[in-house]
Amino acid sequence: TQLLEQSPQFLSIQEGENLTVYCNSSSVFSSLQWYRQEPGEGPVLLVTVVTGGEVKKLKRLTFQFGDARKDSSLHITAAQPGDTGLYLCAAFRDNYGQNFVFGPGTRLSVLP
Amino acid sequence: GAGVSQSPRYKVAKRGQDVALRCDPISGHVSLFWYQQALGQGPEFLTYFQNEAQLDKSGLPSDRFFAERPEGSVSTLKIQRTQQEDSAVYLCASSLDAGVEGYTFGSGTRLTVV
């Protein structure tokens, strides 16, 4: 059983469209991070959210942490081909040492 | 260095062969993680170091996997008697502190066992 679930698993859209991807869990997290990974590279940190209900914006990307700190969403406005990649959410599995776990990811393809 | 460096970038091993994967973290980074990423999946936690101490190795899949960080900087992940199911990308990440604000990942080592 995955600690973090992500949906959708795959998403293919046209340039200029908006999209939202989700990260869900039954566990409560002290913080949650979003990463983006391109083929052949390691994940790159996009944002860390800490406070329930928190909203953070990074250019065309908007991240929200659920009020109960169990879920998060990533919204991309006017997607561009450069946004293509694997979007991963990650969090500490509290009370299990420093085990930092990732979700399975959403693979986004933005077509020109 | 400017980033996390991993070597080799690619490794092909015959089944049963031992391999050693190296991670050179950002200078001064206290925390170091190893992850295994199968094709099309998210990274799976293997082990965690704080300086030279291995604080969590609960993710190592079998006793064929061994990791060390003897001087609190460079780390080596060793896999003995490799099996085909060990084929994956092995990622290393480091952080200045406990990583609450995120980690810096290397580009990974792609291991293929034939």
Side-chain angles (χ1 to χ4, degrees):
Chain A
T1 303
Q2 291 268 3
L3 180 68
L4 292 165
E5 303 284 348
Q6 290 190 246
S7 61
Q9 188 176 359
F10 299 98
L11 185 58
S12 181
I13 61 171
Q14 292 293 134
E15 182 176 2
E17 292 183 3
N18 301 332
L19 66 116
T20 303
V21 299
Y22 301 91
C23 175
N24 296 286
S25 177
S26 57
S27 300
V28 176
F29 299 109
S30 56
S31 66
L32 189 143
Q33 300 174 4
W34 283 93
Y35 289 78
R36 178 166 155 262
Q37 184 178 23
E38 296 189 37
E41 298 297 328
V44 175
L45 178 68
L46 296 174
V47 77
T48 300
V49 286
V50 178
T51 306
E54 180 178 6
V55 176
K56 280 191 173 180
K57 292 195 174 186
L58 185 67
K59 296 183 181 178
R60 293 177 294 101
L61 278 58
T62 302
F63 303 85
Q64 184 161 10
F65 201 14
D67 291 341
R69 292 185 290 122
K70 292 183 178 182
D71 54 82
S72 181
S73 64
L74 159 59
H75 181 80
I76 301 179
T77 303
Q80 298 176 1
D83 296 327
T84 294
L86 179 67
Y87 288 82
L88 297 157
C89 64
F92 283 104
R93 186 197 291 266
D94 286 334
N95 303 319
Y96 285 85
Q98 292 294 325
N99 191 328
F100 188 66
V101 294
F102 282 82
T106 292
R107 190 165 297 279
L108 172 66
S109 178
V110 182
L111 306 174
Chain B
V4 178
S5 178
Q6 292 189 244
S7 61
R9 195 82 164 83
Y10 303 93
K11 176 70 180 178
V12 178
K14 290 185 178 179
R15 192 170 54 183
Q17 186 179 351
D18 297 350
V19 297
L21 312 180
R22 177 187 169 105
C23 173
D24 207 331
I26 293 174
S27 179
H29 274 198
V30 169
S31 299
L32 186 145
F33 285 73
W34 283 99
Y35 286 86
Q36 180 189 60
Q37 187 172 26
L39 191 63
Q41 313 241 342
E44 296 280 344
F45 170 83
L46 293 177
T47 187
Y48 164 70
F49 289 87
Q50 185 174 336
N51 294 307
E52 69 277 5
Q54 189 175 20
L55 298 186
D56 190 336
K57 55 181 181 179
S58 62
L60 295 176
S62 77
D63 58 8
R64 297 185 296 103
F65 286 71
F66 172 76
E68 60 183 4
R69 194 187 184 196
E71 297 178 359
S73 56
V74 172
S75 177
T76 303
L77 176 66
K78 297 179 180 178
I79 309 173
Q80 297 177 322
R81 304 181 303 281
T82 52
Q83 304 294 316
Q84 282 191 318
E85 61 263 29
D86 300 335
S87 295
V89 174
Y90 290 86
L91 294 164
C92 175
S94 71
S95 173
L96 185 60
D97 49 22
V100 175
E101 291 301 315
Y103 297 91
T104 302
F105 279 82
S107 297
T109 293
R110 180 176 295 279
L111 173 65
T112 303
V113 182
V114 297

